[in-house]
Amino acid sequence: MAKKATPRRQKLLRTLLAVLVVLALAGTLLFTAFRRQVDTMEYPCRYSEYVEYYAGKYNIDPLILYSFIRTESNFNPNAQSNVKSKIAPTEPLTFDDLYDPETNIRFGTYFVSYCLLRYQRDLATAAAAYHSGWGTVDDLLAQSEYSADGKTLDHYPYPQMRQYVRKITHSYQRYQEIYNQ
């Protein structure tokens, strides 16, 4: 026959159970706070004054711009790019201007916005065009094995294009999960 728990033992068990519940809750809260901090470090929103301004000017979700910036340079102002010299041949830019975050964000936002408008705001197709050029994407859209509707890409024949589109769309999804809570 099992021994009946004494009142002292019952109190000790209740106290132990209460402590375990409190520790579990504290651990959950700490993990959640730590996870949020890790997420925001992995998916930062740097240069927000420029991103927010140009996102508003071109009517783009700022999280899309953060996704492009993260993919293109990981917010490193010293990252190399030759795109801007092709976009603004009439502006008196110097080589050093290419490393200015505002200049990069201004031209990048213009280019992203143009790609989004050209491809009916389909992020994946716009990202493919940003990466590989409008001519390449337009040629692919004309081929039924890559586009069922001739407006958006369903498949990406080039590994670099496919990887770039996946990075952009995944980053955008993560930015939405983290910042649209």
Side-chain angles (χ1 to χ4, degrees):
M1 183 184 244
K3 285 185 179 181
K4 198 171 190 185
T6 65
R8 183 173 179 217
R9 185 178 173 126
Q10 287 177 344
K11 184 178 179 181
L12 181 62
L13 288 173
R14 280 194 301 266
T15 303
L16 182 59
L17 182 60
V19 167
L20 289 175
V21 167
V22 168
L23 286 175
L25 287 173
T28 301
L29 289 173
L30 284 173
F31 177 77
T32 302
F34 179 69
R35 182 70 230 164
R36 172 102 172 122
Q37 185 176 11
V38 169
D39 284 345
T40 57
M41 286 171 52
E42 190 174 352
Y43 292 88
C45 291
R46 296 189 188 122
Y47 308 115
S48 61
E49 66 275 14
Y50 304 131
V51 170
E52 298 292 329
Y53 173 77
Y54 289 110
K57 182 175 181 177
Y58 290 102
N59 194 28
I60 299 174
D61 181 352
L63 300 179
I64 289 176
L65 295 181
Y66 288 123
S67 300
F68 274 90
I69 296 168
R70 181 181 184 275
T71 300
E72 285 289 319
S73 68
N74 203 27
F75 298 89
N76 176 359
N78 295 317
Q80 300 281 326
S81 175
N82 61 4
V83 174
K84 287 173 292 303
S85 61
K86 296 176 188 173
I87 293 175
T90 60
E91 281 199 36
L93 293 174
T94 67
F95 186 75
D96 290 340
D97 291 331
L98 300 178
Y99 296 103
D100 173 56
E102 184 179 9
T103 301
N104 276 289
I105 291 167
R106 177 168 55 109
F107 285 117
T109 303
Y110 171 79
F111 194 45
V112 168
S113 107
Y114 188 85
C115 290
L116 285 167
L117 287 173
R118 185 177 178 109
Y119 300 106
Q120 292 75 42
R121 302 198 71 78
D122 181 72
L123 180 59
T125 304
Y130 188 96
H131 179 264
S132 299
W134 306 316
T136 300
V137 169
D138 289 348
D139 288 345
L140 294 173
L141 289 172
Q143 300 175 46
S144 61
E145 65 264 35
Y146 302 118
S147 175
D149 63 5
K151 296 177 183 177
T152 58
L153 289 175
D154 304 317
H155 304 287
Y156 309 93
Y158 311 115
Q160 292 105 343
M161 177 191 282
R162 187 170 39 253
Q163 182 180 10
Y164 186 83
V165 169
R166 189 177 305 127
K167 284 181 179 180
I168 292 292
T169 56
H170 176 75
S171 286
Y172 182 55
Q173 178 184 348
R174 289 295 293 135
Y175 270 104
Q176 288 178 310
E177 291 167 0
I178 294 164
Y179 294 98
N180 283 343
Q181 294 180 7

